[in-house]
Amino acid sequence: MLLDMALDISLEEFRRRWEAEIREVTERSEHGVSVKRRRSGEGSDNEDVCEERAWRRLPGSPQREVEEVDNGYLELAERLLEDKPKCTPRDVERPCCIPLTDKPISSFPARAAGNSLVDQLICDLNDINEIPFFDIQLPYEIALQIFQYLGMTELGRCAQVSKTWKFLAEDEVLWHRLCQKEGYTTDEEVSTCTAWKNTLRDKLTKESMLKTNWKNRIGAVSQLHYELGKVLCDVHSCDGVVLAGYTSGDVRLWDTRASCFAGSSLETTQNNPEIGHNPQVSFVRINRSLAVAVYNDGTVDVWSLHIGRKPIHHYQHNQKIQAVALCSDAATIATASGFQVKMECPDERGYWRSISHFQTQKLVNFLHLVHDYDRHPVAIAAAEEIVYLFKEGEPEKILHSTYDHPVTCLDVTLTQAAFGVRSFGWFSNHGNKIYVYNLQTSQCVTTLGNSTGEYTCMNLKDSPPHLLVTGNKDRRVRVYDMRCSKSLCSFYAHHLGVSAAYMDDWKVVSGGEEGLTCVWDQRMGTKLWEMHARHPVRYIWFNSQSLVTANIPDEKNPRGASIMDDDLTAHRRHRGTINVYEFSVDQRSVDSILPICRSSYSEVTGYNYNIGLAVPYDLV
């Protein structure tokens, strides 16, 4: 309503000024005063021609004595001022004004009958309302709908066509949709961001910088230490928050997203001064809201990451726990002890309770927990050669079973389960394979590989769609495409076997039993760089900015680990390490090199692994 009132006021003001101008020109013509408009840089003949053409286009201009023919502009203007939009056929054929666009006058359509000259003039002067497309003009909204199907490169090319197309190609709606398509937009940024094109450009620049740092190993390297924990037992992380358990029974938490990695110890129910020694930690799991620790005596502690450092739930099994699983997006825990699988979950009021108990025929080796389409917890367990599917309120279901072909690794998503099966090679065509099952239909989708070595690790839930990365005892890391059941690439990585593997859309990170961490370029099939530690790599996690690796010793109680029996610490070579690589650090490659690898002016030789040169004076 306010916009319509403002337009009416501006239109009345335009008509009032136009009427005054026509009256002034008429009075001058009656007194014999001629008005001329000159352009700089033109001759007198051209000035007369331009004056003649401009005078003819001026509405309300007086009649010429000799050459001019009465064209009726004055009569037409008077009718417009009296709100009479009728015009003669000759007015329809002739354009009323020069459009301020990049197109020639002849290409514009004639003014339709029934429109006033003022409305046509305002429409022609407003370049935003109509966008020239070849030989036609489209409204701005329709042109915007056409441009929304273009990408960043096409919009940049269209912005070079004309000023009108540049204004359209830089519309915020188009670039906001591109930000959403690239995954750079959150609900919180919609109300604060005003320049989506600049936001997308900054995001892509940062992503390119991170990719370059990954390839050249440019960044900061840190180690998460806890000397009082003695030997490292298990590590797990979620979105940069690292959880670790030790043989001393301590559970440690670090947030690598902070500027300094200040760890905090979680209070456990095992810290009893009456007990001589606390049971060591067997497994740890963490998601966005919960942290879980399992001990050798069958005890389970649960912490909330939003409340405090004290456990919010505690329960115990009668026997040792072989496997534990924590749902990634819900507060549901599954533990396997003996021949029993137990699922714990809080109710609506926050009180924890056991929701299901399942029985297995053999001891469980691997256990994973997901949610189905009805948000009910579903547990997938592998017990020797049998793969079970446990669902609340339903009996146990056997997903896969082949006699004397045990399962060696397992990973699941919301819809699929993939596991490696070991074969003893009774027949030449029966090698070690990977089976992929659909959890909704309980049917085998595809079978991958036929390797001579058994599969030791795999990652399905964190891999790109339709891809699966695996590690094998034959020293190779393979990436499979489940749509064609073929191996896309194979890397000869670790001479003692692959113990951990993780991938994204362009790189693969693998860890071996010898303690070597390798980063591979999937498309090029080459090794980018590697790092070595003393113990086997048991855990790998990374995102676009950081990489977390854990070297966990196989021997939890090594001989001669401490100087004295009552010593609270262990020797450094027996503890295990947690390495954090931060690639988002914006610094020079020289600054990212370890101090021991830099050479100074006083030294004779020096080695810079980022440059690959051995020169006397790297730093002058």
Side-chain angles (χ1 to χ4, degrees):
M1 182 65 69
L2 297 177
L3 182 60
D4 296 338
M5 294 177 61
L7 291 176
D8 294 338
I9 294 175
S10 61
L11 185 58
E12 292 297 333
E13 178 67 21
F14 178 81
R15 288 179 174 175
R16 185 183 61 79
R17 294 178 59 184
W18 195 9
E19 184 178 3
E21 182 180 353
I22 293 176
R23 189 179 297 110
E24 180 182 358
V25 172
T26 306
E27 292 177 357
R28 290 183 180 181
S29 61
E30 291 177 357
H31 292 83
V33 179
S34 61
V35 181
K36 293 185 179 181
R37 298 182 181 180
R38 297 182 179 272
R39 296 183 180 180
S40 60
E42 296 184 355
S44 59
D45 296 337
N46 295 333
E47 291 177 359
D48 297 337
V49 175
C50 295
E51 174 192 356
E52 187 73 19
R53 293 178 179 176
W55 190 271
R56 292 182 180 181
R57 288 195 299 266
L58 180 63
S61 58
Q63 301 179 0
R64 309 294 286 180
E65 296 179 359
V66 182
E67 298 88 3
E68 291 258 3
V69 181
D70 186 8
N71 50 17
Y73 273 129
L74 182 59
E75 182 181 357
L76 179 60
E78 292 175 354
R79 291 180 180 178
L80 290 174
L81 294 175
E82 295 175 2
D83 291 336
K84 296 179 181 180
K86 296 181 181 180
C87 58
T88 60
R90 189 173 61 179
D91 299 326
V92 177
E93 298 175 357
R94 180 175 298 178
C96 61
C97 64
I98 300 176
L100 300 179
T101 61
D102 298 339
K103 295 177 63 61
I105 299 177
S106 59
S107 62
F108 283 84
R111 181 173 56 89
N115 293 338
S116 64
L117 187 61
V118 177
D119 295 337
Q120 183 67 25
L121 180 61
I122 295 175
C123 183
D124 290 338
L125 291 176
N126 192 356
D127 292 338
I128 304 177
N129 288 341
E130 292 186 356
I131 306 298
F133 273 82
F134 303 102
D135 57 344
I136 61 174
Q137 282 185 318
L138 295 178
Y140 187 84
E141 290 77 10
I142 298 179
L144 192 65
Q145 293 294 326
I146 296 175
F147 272 44
Q148 72 176 352
Y149 297 100
L150 303 180
M152 294 177 288
T153 305
E154 291 79 7
L155 288 178
R157 293 172 179 174
C158 291
Q160 303 176 9
V161 174
S162 63
K163 293 183 179 180
T164 308
W165 279 38
K166 183 179 186 298
F167 185 86
L168 178 64
E170 294 181 352
D171 192 276
E172 296 295 333
V173 176
L174 299 176
W175 292 98
H176 176 258
R177 290 178 178 176
L178 290 176
C179 288
Q180 286 182 327
K181 184 178 179 181
E182 296 293 335
Y184 297 139
T185 306
T186 59
D187 296 336
E188 292 79 7
E189 295 177 348
V190 174
S191 58
T192 59
C193 183
T194 56
W196 292 105
K197 182 179 179 181
N198 297 334
T199 301
L200 182 59
R201 181 181 58 214
D202 296 340
K203 296 288 186 180
L204 293 177
T205 303
K206 182 179 179 181
E207 183 178 347
S208 177
M209 183 266 294
L210 289 174
K211 193 172 183 179
T212 303
N213 292 349
W214 264 97
K215 292 183 177 181
N216 299 317
R217 194 172 58 177
I218 300 175
V221 184
S222 304
Q223 288 188 352
L224 306 181
H225 295 286
Y226 184 58
E227 297 180 359
L228 298 180
K230 293 189 176 181
V231 180
L232 183 65
C233 293
D234 194 21
V235 176
H236 197 250
S237 66
C238 178
D239 294 339
V241 181
V242 181
L243 183 68
Y246 296 86
T247 56
S248 62
D250 295 332
V251 180
R252 193 78 171 174
L253 188 69
W254 291 274
D255 190 355
T256 61
R257 299 168 298 183
S259 58
C260 57
F261 304 154
S264 60
S265 297
L266 300 178
E267 298 182 7
T268 65
T269 57
Q270 304 294 327
N271 294 333
N272 191 351
E274 298 179 358
I275 303 176
H277 62 279
N278 298 327
Q280 68 182 22
V281 178
S282 300
F283 306 99
V284 292
R285 295 293 184 270
I286 188 174
N287 61 10
R288 291 182 176 87
S289 59
L290 295 179
V292 180
V294 176
Y295 301 89
N296 279 354
D297 60 349
T299 305
V300 180
D301 285 341
V302 183
W303 296 269
S304 175
L305 300 180
H306 306 293
I307 296 178
R309 296 187 299 173
K310 294 184 177 181
I312 62 173
H313 182 54
H314 167 79
Y315 66 98
Q316 188 169 3
H317 285 271
N318 295 328
Q319 300 179 10
K320 182 180 178 180
I321 298 177
Q322 295 96 14
V324 63
L326 176 63
C327 193
S328 60
D329 55 353
T332 306
I333 304 171
T335 53
S337 176
F339 301 97
Q340 184 185 36
V341 177
K342 183 178 180 181
M343 298 174 64
E344 296 273 333
C345 181
D347 56 11
E348 294 80 4
R349 296 179 296 176
Y351 294 102
W352 286 79
R353 60 184 180 89
S354 298
I355 58 176
S356 299
H357 290 81
F358 303 98
Q359 296 294 327
T360 61
Q361 301 177 10
K362 297 183 178 181
L363 296 179
V364 174
N365 306 108
F366 305 97
L367 182 63
H368 289 271
L369 191 63
V370 295
H371 273 172
D372 61 358
Y373 56 91
D374 292 331
R375 303 298 297 173
H376 293 293
V378 177
I380 295 89
E384 297 296 334
E385 69 272 3
I386 305 175
V387 179
Y388 293 93
L389 190 147
F390 302 129
K391 190 173 182 180
E392 181 185 2
E394 297 182 5
E396 297 88 352
K397 181 187 295 185
I398 296 179
L399 196 65
H400 174 85
S401 178
T402 303
Y403 179 73
D404 209 14
H405 286 66
V407 176
T408 57
C409 55
L410 173 68
D411 198 14
V412 300
T413 62
L414 296 177
T415 58
Q416 291 180 334
F419 49 89
V421 176
R422 181 176 61 193
S423 175
F424 291 100
W426 292 340
F427 303 97
S428 59
N429 58 345
H430 287 127
N432 299 280
K433 295 183 180 180
I434 297 175
Y435 293 89
V436 181
Y437 275 77
N438 190 306
L439 298 181
Q440 298 178 358
T441 61
S442 301
Q443 299 295 326
C444 183
V445 177
T446 182
T447 304
L448 306 174
N450 192 10
S451 175
T452 56
E454 66 179 64
Y455 292 93
T456 56
C457 61
M458 64 173 56
N459 195 311
L460 177 63
K461 61 178 178 294
D462 299 315
S463 300
H466 311 294
L467 296 182
L468 171 66
V469 58
T470 63
N472 201 292
K473 276 191 174 180
D474 62 358
R475 311 170 186 176
R476 288 191 174 272
V477 178
R478 295 179 176 88
V479 177
Y480 290 96
D481 190 341
M482 294 181 290
R483 294 170 294 184
C484 59
S485 302
K486 294 183 179 180
S487 176
L488 299 181
C489 55
S490 177
F491 310 122
Y492 185 84
H494 309 277
H495 64 275
L496 293 182
V498 184
S499 58
Y502 204 100
M503 71 170 297
D504 61 2
D505 55 347
W506 69 274
K507 63 180 175 292
V508 177
V509 180
S510 62
E513 294 287 345
E514 75 285 350
L516 195 65
T517 302
C518 301
V519 180
W520 309 83
D521 191 326
Q522 176 189 345
R523 300 173 183 175
M524 299 297 294
T526 57
K527 182 188 295 185
L528 298 176
W529 51 272
E530 63 182 25
M531 291 289 289
H532 184 266
R534 184 182 298 272
H535 303 287
V537 181
R538 299 298 182 189
Y539 181 77
I540 293 176
W541 176 89
F542 67 82
N543 56 11
S544 61
Q545 300 181 1
S546 59
L547 168 66
V548 178
T549 62
N551 297 83
I552 302 176
D554 292 332
E555 183 63 37
K556 298 300 186 295
N557 298 304
R559 187 175 181 179
S562 59
I563 301 176
M564 297 180 294
D565 294 337
D566 58 348
D567 192 1
L568 300 179
T569 63
H571 195 276
R572 184 182 296 271
R573 64 173 177 267
H574 301 295
R575 295 176 193 165
T577 58
I578 303 175
N579 299 315
V580 179
Y581 305 84
E582 185 64 34
F583 299 99
S584 62
V585 179
D586 189 10
Q587 58 183 359
R588 297 180 304 169
S589 61
V590 176
D591 297 334
S592 65
I593 304 171
L594 298 177
I596 196 173
C597 300
R598 302 175 189 172
S599 61
S600 62
Y601 183 82
S602 59
E603 295 175 344
V604 180
T605 59
Y607 178 65
N608 186 328
Y609 59 80
N610 275 336
I611 301 178
L613 300 176
V615 296
Y617 313 118
D618 287 346
L619 299 177
V620 179

